[in-house]
Amino acid sequence: MEQGSFQGAYNVFKIIIMKKKRYICLYFQVHQPYRLGRFRYFDIGRRGGYFDDDKNRAILDKVSAKCYLPATLLLQDLVRSYPGRFKCSFSFSGMVLEQLQEMNPKVLSVFQELLSQPEVEVLAETYGHSLSALASQKEFEKQVKRHGEMIMSLFHQQPTVLRNTELIYSDSIGKYAAEMGFKGILAEGADRILGWRSPNFLYAASEAPALSLLLKNYRLSDDIAFRFSQPGWNEGPLTAEKFVHWLNAIPEDEPLVNLFMDYETFGEHQWAESGIFDFLQALPEAVFQNSDFQFITPSEVLEQLHPVDRISMPEPVSWADEARDLSAWLGNPLQDDAFESLYRLQSRVENCADEHIQRDWQKLQTSDHFYYMCTKYFADGDVHKYFNPYDSPYEAFVNYMNVLADFELRLETAASLPPALRRSFKIQREAIPHRVQTD
Amino acid sequence: MRVLMFGWEFPPYISGGLGTACYGLTKGLMEHGAEVLFVLPRLFGGEDAGTMRMIGAAEAELPEEFSRFMEQGKMQLLQVNTALFPYATDKSYLSGDGAMGYDATFQSKTAMGGGLTGMYGSRLMDEVFRYASLAPDIAARHSFDLIHAHDWLTYPAGMAASSYAGKPMIAHVHATEYDRSGDFPNERVMQIEKMGMQAAERVIAVSEYTKKIAIKQYHIDEKKVDVVHNGVLPGSEKPEVRVDKTFPVVVFLGRVTFQKGPEYFLYAAAKVLRNNPDVRFVVAGHGDKLLSMITLAARLKISSRVSFTGFINSDDIGQLFGDSDVYVMPSVSEPFGISALEAARAGVPVIISRQTGVAEVLKSALKTDFWDVDGMSDAIIALLQHNSLRRWMSRNGRQQARMQTWNKAASRVLTTYSKLLS
């Protein structure tokens, strides 16, 4: 009898284990920067218009056609085909939303349609897709708030989970997020942080235990995002069946697989011809047929799972490159000086009511500008590259600093003039006396 | 008098001060009645088109007065089939003087890119001697009284023509390897320079400063060296003055190379900015030190106040001078420095290093040693602070620049010619 009851308890226990739910959390990042046009020294103080409107429009149109439209329509189909079962989450930078509003409202409405489904969750992020969390808590909070207002007005959702720019996370950023009332935050499941631990659990922030950490499973995420059509990858071509097979190979006690990636994975990074859309279309069915996994959104994860441990990231970790640190955006002298020069203007911008200045301030903070200044893969002294305006970190830096100089002048002008005159930035000054020639 | 002159560039297709100097000098000589046969290297169709673009002078539109001179038979442009290219690599920037990048030709990627790197040692040297090998043929087909060769690239050609025709040669020193490379000169280039100056019956140096280098570094007989200061072409003296100018501008204009001392400009800038954070510094020009200068500015944390323009054309130079409150030339060793005169002519107060030839004619410039960044920053601050000083220097600089004409330089050169022929 004793043995029997033990057997019975074991059976119940086994059922609990067997029934223990396992989840796939899909998250897609949507962002386009406002790329700068060529801005020379001679343009400083002489013209506004920092951004290359034609180029930005062309890129937005291209990405919309190849990715945003087809991928979003496909997801709409999937949500309709598997109501309450297929789920995913998004975050949009304020930059891409502004550009869609301005230049491609049709695509925006397709996104709105998808996001109106309860199966699709939208996350918070910084408005400008900025590195502000590394510069100033105050600016970071302002941006997240500004972004939240935009999300509310466009998607009628109040995000409870935060995703910082480029998945950059540190203990300090965790504290900022918790202070703002967020319940969870997305971060990279970097090996150097996790050590022997698996990313496939929910964790808590070490400095703010109320904040849960969802860590990206970078191997499985990158199988889709990077390796999918990589020539010479011995696992290619990747099918939904094979992917589900890998999911099933994950130890049964690990309840959560976080697949975080750029949305452009679908159709832009991996072209339609690679079969990426077929893969996405087939994935839910394959998961439902051949595994115990269910789809889940980030806020649902926080309801279903409990953190198993605390994770500390004293130094910022990101999802970029092999290094998974900040070195794509900061660290070389160009990036550091540009970054410091930008945030030296912060208090002056705060005191400026001009909406044009406020909007440009967001656009100038976008992390992409600093990414263009990265010299990691640029042989020093390679003059050849310098000449291509879009192919050299030095060119990117010089151009950015000219723009910033002009922005600073506008800031001074806007601040020094009475409100009635603030709309005009050109002040006519007396000619410099020593160069007024009478002969 | 007919002069067979060997050069390597001529307006409008020029990349440095030497083209300007050849233009001004030949113009001055012809105004004095001399006739000039000007030999230019040119690139034949398709040859090396992938790595460089040098447009032969025949295809170029010449300045108007030259067409006139040519119609009158005072001037002929002769072209030699060689790929000789004056500024083959940044390291080999050769002319000592002048504003850079007057023409878009050399702003192209193909012309300035690293495609020619390595030519300095091998290809370029081959081309120099190829140019020389074609010189006797030219000497045979034309009659002339003497030969005038500009800088080391043309000395072998001048020497070849001279020995073939038995006519005397003048070596015109616009710059030396010693200026360009300091204590680490290219030995072969120095050797050719020395050979040329020794073979020449007379040597013309662009300044007393350069004459001293010829004597001290190249052991040339003092008695055979004449000094002829460069002139400055009359240009627009009223550059566009920006009316909405909101910050003072201090400008460096020249190739961003060791010789021009751009790093001293940046160190001085950092000191000035501590005194007045509103000043904007402009580094206009390109060169092998450009990327390291951009990095230096970032390391000094002054990038928000420094603009790097890369190559700029003559219109932009005019506008830049119009913007500028102070012009700084911190050259480590500058045989002359035409662009300082051009700045002065445009009414911009000038600060120059003592290691420049132009200091001998531009008396109203403020002078410091190139390495003395304290002195340099003090001078910049003083000029920005004191309107009276700036106005006074602007007026005087303009007058002194106006007096420094090519006509005057040409008459000195003619004096050298007559010494030679008498």
Side-chain angles (χ1 to χ4, degrees), chain A residues 34-56 102 356-357 359-361 363-364 369 390 399-400 402-407 410 423 425-426:
Chain A
Y34 277 94
R35 294 161 198 84
L36 295 169
R38 185 161 146 77
F39 201 87
R40 306 169 67 212
Y41 156 75
F42 295 100
D43 299 324
I44 298 172
R46 289 188 170 119
R47 73 168 174 96
Y50 303 148
F51 307 100
D52 190 338
D53 297 338
D54 294 341
K55 187 178 189 177
N56 289 325
E102 277 171 41
H356 294 288
I357 287 201
R359 291 185 63 174
D360 284 350
W361 170 244
K363 294 172 184 176
L364 292 177
H369 302 307
Y390 299 102
N399 205 53
Y400 183 82
N402 284 341
V403 168
L404 205 57
D406 186 86
F407 181 73
R410 281 171 53 201
R423 289 188 64 88
F425 296 122
K426 292 245 165 176

Side-chain angles (χ1 to χ4, degrees), chain B residues 84-99:
Chain B
L84 191 54
F85 180 71
Y87 301 102
T89 66
D90 290 328
K91 170 96 175 66
S92 72
Y93 273 144
L94 297 165
S95 160
D97 311 325

Side-chain angles (χ1 to χ4, degrees), chain B residues 17 41 78 103 126 214 245 265:
Chain B
L78 309 171
D103 187 87
D126 292 345
K245 194 168 133 82
F265 181 73

Side-chain angles (χ1 to χ4, degrees), chain A residues 40-41 46 337 402 408 435, chain B residues 303 305 307 316 322-324:
Chain A
R40 306 169 67 212
Y41 156 75
R46 289 188 170 119
D337 197 22
N402 284 341
E408 190 174 350
R435 250 181 282 119
Chain B
S303 309
R305 293 294 180 271
S307 287
D316 286 341
D323 277 3
S324 298

